[in-house]
Amino acid sequence: EMGNAIKALGERIPMATTEIAALIEGGARMGIQGKDNLLAFTEVAANAATAFELPADQIGENLARIANLYKLPIQNIGQLGDAINYLDDNAQSKGGDIIDVMQRTAGITASVGMSFRDAAALGSTFLSLGASAEVAGTATNAMIRELAIAGEQPKRFQKGLKALGLE
């Protein structure tokens, strides 16, 4: 069954069936269970690899890790790929760099309840301003950390927030 499913995927996506099989293997190794989940994950990872011109196994591992950090069910991983692809197409940031930033920031952004879409957009914004993925990740982490404890900050911090229209 899985062999036939791999062949069918190979007819829909621009990737060799051996690479598709390797993505499925990698997904299974990362804990993705069930044929349907593995196939859905593999199709998203393969399409992302093509769109972002990155190695499929690297993209697959990164997307699975991000989905796990945001508690995104594997059957919904296409939403993650779509969000990153949208930013890749409509902002001055590359999909691979957005993924890099998201990996660096997923822990803190998820801990404050930020959605993966908002985290991707924030990372893309820093990247569009000319920051490297490392700098964008560091800036995102610092900003979220400071805003998370905003109520405990000194008066000058509160004054700065007010000047921005925030509380």
Side-chain angles (χ1 to χ4, degrees), residues 25-57:
E25 177 188 350
R29 203 174 32 251
M30 287 181 282
I32 299 171
Q33 298 179 354
K35 176 185 162 197
D36 291 340
N37 287 339
L38 282 167
L39 292 172
F41 162 77
T42 298
E43 187 162 3
V44 169
N47 287 329
T50 301
F52 306 145
E53 299 174 4
L54 293 169
D57 57 340

Side-chain angles (χ1 to χ4, degrees), residues 40-158:
F41 162 77
T42 298
E43 187 162 3
V44 169
N47 287 329
T50 301
F52 306 145
E53 299 174 4
L54 293 169
D57 57 340
Q58 175 188 340
I59 286 284
E61 185 177 320
N62 294 345
L63 288 176
R65 188 176 298 125
I66 292 167
N68 184 47
L69 289 167
Y70 284 99
K71 309 282 188 265
L72 181 66
I74 289 300
Q75 63 266 25
N76 297 343
I77 199 166
Q79 296 171 7
L80 175 61
D82 289 346
I84 295 168
N85 191 48
Y86 177 84
L87 292 166
D88 179 83
D89 291 345
N90 294 289
Q92 295 177 5
S93 54
K94 295 180 183 176
D97 290 337
I98 296 167
I99 290 170
D100 189 356
V101 172
M102 289 184 77
Q103 287 186 106
R104 295 171 186 272
T105 62
I108 194 163
T109 56
S111 73
V112 297
M114 182 179 275
S115 74
F116 68 87
R117 286 182 183 90
D118 290 341
L122 182 58
S124 175
T125 300
F126 279 120
L127 291 165
S128 294
L129 293 171
S132 67
E134 183 178 354
V135 170
T138 301
T140 298
N141 284 334
M143 186 179 81
I144 298 295
R145 183 183 59 248
E146 294 303 314
L147 290 174
I149 59 169
E152 301 163 18
Q153 296 287 359
K155 288 182 183 181
R156 63 183 169 82
F157 188 91
Q158 303 301 326

